[in-house]
Amino acid sequence: MKRTLGLCLLTLTLLSIPAVAAANHSANAADEQLGVSNGAQYAMFVPAAWNGRLVLWAHGFVDPEAPIALPDALPPDVAPWLVELRESLLAAGYAVAYSSYAENGWAVKDGAERTHELQGLFRSRFGIPTHVYVGGRSLGALITAFLAETHPAEYQGALALCGPLGGGRLETDYIGNVRVLFDFFFPGVIPGDVVHVPPMEYSPSAPVVKAIVAAILAEPHKAVQLASVDQIELPYRTLTELVLSIVRPLGYNIRGTNDILARTGGQSPYGNIGTWYTGLLLYDPTVNAGVGRFVAQPGGIQYLDDYYRPHGTLSLPLLTLHTTMDPDVPFFHEAALAKIVAAARTSKWLAQQSVQRYGHCNVTPAEVILTLGRLVNWAEHGVKPASGDVTAQLALESPQSVVSTAAAMVNTEFGFTKVILSGATGVPLP
């Protein structure tokens, strides 16, 4: 997740002076521009047969300790996906622009500002697009919803993939609950606690990750109990998925807690004083008597309400797509968003689609292109896409996506088996 910046680029970043660099970044771009503005790197691309539409893309959570880098370079597990999406969009006639943001971590405010300013940068270099769409993945989906609510006149539609769209606090409560329940079932494995996280590496080879996986494999029945608690309901069908569904949210607690606390003046938004954990029947009282208890603090709550809790004040089409077995950003965010939008009486502007699949945003670029086409048809021709399960529909329209995701699942299972048989305990991380 690291990329070294050149001295000239770093100097320009510190001075917030826009910079332009010629590059051969994209195979499908007829013209492109890379630069730096307000501490963030940006990249913009226009195809030869431009259809007049511009897609601004907002990337997801990046480790706070990682260097600032364009999302087509880092993180290494997501960057190839974005490159494929970019090239597919360009091949379909869309112009594309995205930013590194000037901050990593919970960078909703900065990410929204840096993504929104791409419009002005694009116009000054390539002219005025006929339509502008904003889209994003994971934390970028939350940024997308933020821009849809706050700048509706400047976008024709918004596409949000697998985002914490029920709000920041709902997501932090989920991550926090996974951590306190893990500490209950597997005490002493992770240093510190849910709000006191000492600096530590969190990679497949890191000691803490190996310790987490070893603890789960030693007592898998406890992992099953943990995953069965109603307040988290971790998705899994196999041992591999069970391990990943615990390891991944713990990673956000370990990598993201201190970033949030730095933004809130040390006040934690996580609290479970009033939570009664259920789902284990007669064992519920034991869990609730032994689990760690923490009080949410006003400054932390307010920060996440500000950056960001959707208000549902939609006046342009917002289309979401979410995998139903998402261990990072649970699918229950979609129901929470629907409730918020319904309360604001703007449900006519929201369509929510889902894919029956395990993994965080485990959708292919081809499936994103198809979904974007539905958004464009809605925004420009008034044909609102139906909400609900589109697994079969996407399989018919993009059969190669089904093959590729199935192959990836087999490879993940095979890789996990090899890890266990070899005595190692590292697994892929977010």
Side-chain angles (χ1 to χ4, degrees):
M1 296 175 63
K2 293 189 176 181
R3 181 185 184 190
T4 303
L5 298 178
L7 179 60
C8 179
L9 183 57
L10 177 59
T11 303
L12 288 168
T13 300
L14 294 174
L15 295 176
S16 296
I17 300 174
V20 176
N24 295 315
H25 212 62
S26 166
N28 288 326
D31 199 0
E32 61 186 79
Q33 178 174 310
L34 307 183
V36 178
S37 178
N38 289 314
Q41 301 172 48
Y42 66 85
M44 305 185 296
F45 309 89
V46 175
W50 183 26
N51 60 23
R53 302 182 182 97
L54 168 63
V55 174
L56 304 185
W57 189 258
H59 70 74
F61 180 90
V62 177
D63 192 323
E65 299 302 317
I68 300 298
L70 285 171
D72 58 25
L74 296 178
D77 57 335
V78 180
W81 184 93
L82 178 60
V83 171
E84 184 179 346
L85 176 62
R86 179 193 72 206
E87 294 304 297
S88 298
L89 285 168
L90 290 168
Y94 295 91
V96 182
Y98 46 76
S99 165
S100 66
Y101 317 154
E103 303 172 4
N104 290 334
W106 185 264
V108 178
K109 178 178 183 293
D110 179 70
E113 292 172 350
R114 301 289 74 78
T115 301
H116 187 61
E117 77 172 346
L118 290 170
Q119 285 210 52
L121 293 168
F122 185 91
R123 290 191 186 101
S124 67
R125 175 65 177 81
F126 299 110
I128 300 174
T130 58
H131 302 81
V132 182
Y133 295 90
V134 59
R137 166 179 172 148
S138 195
L139 189 73
L142 194 58
I143 290 168
T144 295
F146 181 91
L147 291 175
E149 288 192 353
T150 54
H151 300 283
E154 298 182 57
Y155 298 96
Q156 277 63 60
L159 177 62
L161 307 181
C162 310
L165 300 178
R169 193 177 179 200
L170 185 62
E171 179 68 8
T172 13
D173 282 351
Y174 165 72
I175 297 298
N177 283 331
V178 173
R179 174 64 195 270
V180 297
L181 288 165
F182 182 87
D183 288 346
F184 169 79
F185 285 105
F186 302 99
V189 173
I190 306 175
D193 60 44
V194 65
V195 296
H196 302 95
V197 181
M200 67 185 93
E201 180 190 358
Y202 204 79
S203 67
S205 60
V208 69
V209 175
K210 292 184 176 182
I212 291 168
V213 177
I216 295 170
L217 296 179
E219 298 182 285
H221 65 284
K222 289 187 177 181
V224 170
Q225 288 179 305
L226 164 63
S228 301
V229 174
D230 292 331
Q231 284 66 32
I232 53 175
E233 291 186 331
L234 299 181
Y236 73 95
R237 296 162 300 187
T238 66
L239 178 60
T240 304
E241 292 177 354
L242 176 61
V243 172
L244 289 174
S245 288
I246 296 173
V247 169
R248 291 181 66 91
L250 288 176
Y252 289 103
N253 170 254
I254 291 171
R255 298 186 307 170
T257 296
N258 292 327
D259 174 70
I260 288 284
L261 293 176
R263 297 172 186 272
T264 63
Q267 296 201 32
S268 171
Y270 174 71
N272 65 342
I273 291 295
T275 302
W276 180 262
Y277 296 102
T278 58
L280 301 179
L281 303 176
L282 295 178
Y283 199 54
D284 286 350
T286 302
V287 173
N288 284 282
V291 75
R293 297 292 179 177
F294 299 85
V295 179
Q297 297 169 299
I301 295 171
Q302 187 61 53
Y303 181 84
L304 289 184
D305 280 349
D306 291 341
Y307 307 111
Y308 173 62
R309 178 178 59 85
H311 298 94
T313 52
L314 295 175
S315 55
L316 58 78
L318 171 61
L319 175 59
T320 72
L321 182 67
H322 209 137
T323 45
T324 55
M325 299 181 69
D326 187 337
D328 297 26
V329 181
F331 186 60
F332 59 60
H333 275 281
E334 296 295 331
L337 175 65
K339 186 176 180 179
I340 292 169
V341 171
R345 299 183 179 181
T346 59
S347 297
K348 70 175 184 178
W349 296 114
L350 176 65
Q352 296 173 288
Q353 299 186 336
S354 61
V355 182
Q356 298 287 335
R357 195 175 293 163
Y358 179 84
H360 178 48
C361 235
N362 185 18
V363 294
T364 67
E367 290 170 331
V368 177
I369 296 291
L370 289 170
T371 307
L372 175 64
R374 296 187 184 99
L375 174 65
V376 169
N377 197 33
W378 182 13
E380 298 179 22
H381 303 290
V383 182
K384 182 179 180 179
S387 294
D389 186 351
V390 294
T391 307
Q393 184 178 4
L394 290 176
L396 288 172
E397 296 177 343
S398 181
Q400 71 274 20
S401 294
V402 177
V403 174
S404 64
T405 53
M409 183 182 302
V410 170
N411 289 336
T412 298
E413 292 289 340
F414 178 69
F416 183 81
T417 302
K418 285 181 63 179
V419 164
I420 301 305
L421 293 176
S422 66
T425 53
V427 292
L429 298 176

